[in-house]
């Protein structure tokens, strides 16, 4: 894969027949596979609404939200300490498909380990949070190059242990020449504790725990934090570190808005500083058919 080509946020395995580039006179229904956790799902929905340029109710993204927190814990399963969540997630995706969803968005980074399986089960595309987030990195670097500003290079991934160890981000980032830093073992434990606190409704306690760690990392040369867990924006948002962060949840929200409101052909944008003016490249996290 060309490392200068930005990521596509659409996983279409088992669902190619669902996609076309014909003009449409309606918004596409998006199914939100959430509950992992519930507050993070609400945060995604709120970000979708905020990212939509709408002047009336009818111009907002139609969504079906599956906010069912009884899905087995993803990290516990991957650590060999719990049942698989795959069946519950696939059943949920099938329910969203039957309800009219035309694509699935998963409000959990770790759950994207099963993205292809979910897409196949529902026979729908998955708007991929990792590729949407990496597209934001790509865009930020292009903008920095265009405006002669420092480009973010030392990007630290803040995510679950499972997302780190399975390479959910690293494998796809490597395809696009993006290197992500991993926290130390001690800092990763802080992140794990913060995620648990947010899931337990103790967001302020989680925020107080993580802010000193973020301060230290900036002092040691990190210039961006990639919020690769949907609980992370709930503690980083509204702090001085938000401006130094690339939020995967916000990136996914933007990709959902584009999928719902546009044909796939309209999602292609000219590449910044492209040597070929006719070359069209997707720099915004969506597949171009």
């Amino acid at each position: 894969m060309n490392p200068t080509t930005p990521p596509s946020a659409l996983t279409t395995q088992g669902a190619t027949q669902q996609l076309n580039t014909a003009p449409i006179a309606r918004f596409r229904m998006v199914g939100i596979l959430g509950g992992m956790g519930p507050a993070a799902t609400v945060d995604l929905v709120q970000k979708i609404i905020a990212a939509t340029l709408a002047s009336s109710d009818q111009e907002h993204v139609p969504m079906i939200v599956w906010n069912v927190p009884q899905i087995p814990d993803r990290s516990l399963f991957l650590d060999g300490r719990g049942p698989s969540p795959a069946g519950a997630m696939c059943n949920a995706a099938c329910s969203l498909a039957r309800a009219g969803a035309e694509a699935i968005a998963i409000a959990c980074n770790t759950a994207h380990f099963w993205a292809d399986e979910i897409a196949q089960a529902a026979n729908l595309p998955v708007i991929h949070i990792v590729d949407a987030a990496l597209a934001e990195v790509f865009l930020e670097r292009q903008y920095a190059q265009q405006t002669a500003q420092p480009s973010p290079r030392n990007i630290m991934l803040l995510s679950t242990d499972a997302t780190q160890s399975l390479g959910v981000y690293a494998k796809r980032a490597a395809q696009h020449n993006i290197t992500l830093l991993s926290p130390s073992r001690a800092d990763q434990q802080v992140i794990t504790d913060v995620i648990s606190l947010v899931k337990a409704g103790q967001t302020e306690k989680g925020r107080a725990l993580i802010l000193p760690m973020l301060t230290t990392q900036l002092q040691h040369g990190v210039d961006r934090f990639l919020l690769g867990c949907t609980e992370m924006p709930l503690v980083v948002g509204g702090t001085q570190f938000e401006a130094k962060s690339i939020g995967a949840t916000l990136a996914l929200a933007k990709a959902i808005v584009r999928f719902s409101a546009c044909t796939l052909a309209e999602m292609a944008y000219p590449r910044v500083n492209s040597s070929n003016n006719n070359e069209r490249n997707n720099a915004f996290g969506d597949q171009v058919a």
Side-chain angles (χ1 to χ4, degrees), residues 7-274:
S8 162
L10 206 60
T11 295
T12 58
Q13 184 170 349
T16 304
Q17 68 272 25
Q18 299 286 335
L19 308 177
N20 63 74
T21 57
I24 55 176
R26 62 179 179 84
F27 292 91
R28 295 180 177 185
M29 182 78 73
V30 177
I32 308 297
L33 176 48
M36 305 174 282
T41 303
V42 173
D43 183 51
L44 173 61
V45 172
Q46 290 176 331
K47 283 179 166 60
I48 294 168
I49 294 169
T52 304
L53 296 176
S55 59
S56 66
D57 290 346
Q58 292 73 26
E59 293 177 356
H60 279 279
V61 174
M63 291 176 278
I64 307 166
V65 182
W66 185 275
N67 198 3
V68 179
Q70 283 69 40
I71 295 172
D73 189 279
R74 286 65 55 203
S75 293
L76 287 180
F77 168 73
L78 293 169
D79 195 36
R81 295 185 290 129
S84 172
M89 292 190 295
C90 288
N91 289 338
C94 289
S95 295
L96 291 169
R98 288 192 296 270
E102 296 169 74
I104 302 295
I106 308 169
C108 172
N109 287 263
T110 307
H112 280 73
F113 177 74
W114 294 274
D116 287 343
E117 189 174 346
I118 291 168
Q120 287 181 324
N123 197 31
L124 288 176
V126 166
I127 305 173
H128 206 291
I129 195 170
V130 175
D131 292 331
L134 295 176
E136 290 292 320
V137 175
F138 185 91
L139 274 177
E140 188 164 340
R141 287 181 172 177
Q142 281 195 326
Y143 179 78
Q145 181 181 11
Q146 188 180 39
T147 58
Q149 296 182 18
S151 177
R153 293 296 170 188
N154 298 320
I155 303 172
M156 176 167 284
L157 176 63
L158 308 183
S159 70
T160 64
D161 283 324
T163 296
Q164 293 277 0
S165 62
L166 292 168
V168 174
Y169 270 83
K171 292 176 183 178
R172 301 175 91 92
Q175 295 175 340
H176 301 283
N177 200 29
I178 296 172
T179 300
L180 301 175
L181 305 176
S182 297
S184 67
R185 182 174 298 181
D187 284 347
Q188 184 60 46
Q189 185 59 54
V190 170
I191 294 168
T192 298
D193 292 343
V194 169
I195 293 170
S196 297
L197 286 168
V198 174
K199 288 180 179 293
Q202 301 181 57
T203 302
E204 290 302 321
K205 188 173 180 179
R207 181 177 293 118
L209 181 61
I210 201 169
L211 294 189
M213 188 206 87
L214 301 182
T215 299
T216 300
Q217 290 301 331
L218 289 178
Q219 292 170 346
H220 290 172
V222 170
D223 48 34
R224 287 294 184 280
F225 298 106
L226 177 48
L227 309 182
C229 172
T230 50
E231 272 73 37
M232 282 293 107
L234 300 176
V235 291
V236 176
T239 73
Q240 68 269 35
F241 300 101
E242 187 171 13
K244 293 289 187 179
S245 300
I246 297 170
T249 302
L250 179 57
L252 178 60
K254 293 176 182 179
I256 289 168
V257 172
R258 288 189 295 274
F259 174 86
S260 179
C262 303
T263 67
L264 291 178
E266 290 170 337
M267 292 181 189
Y269 289 79
R271 181 191 298 172
V272 177
N273 293 335
S274 173

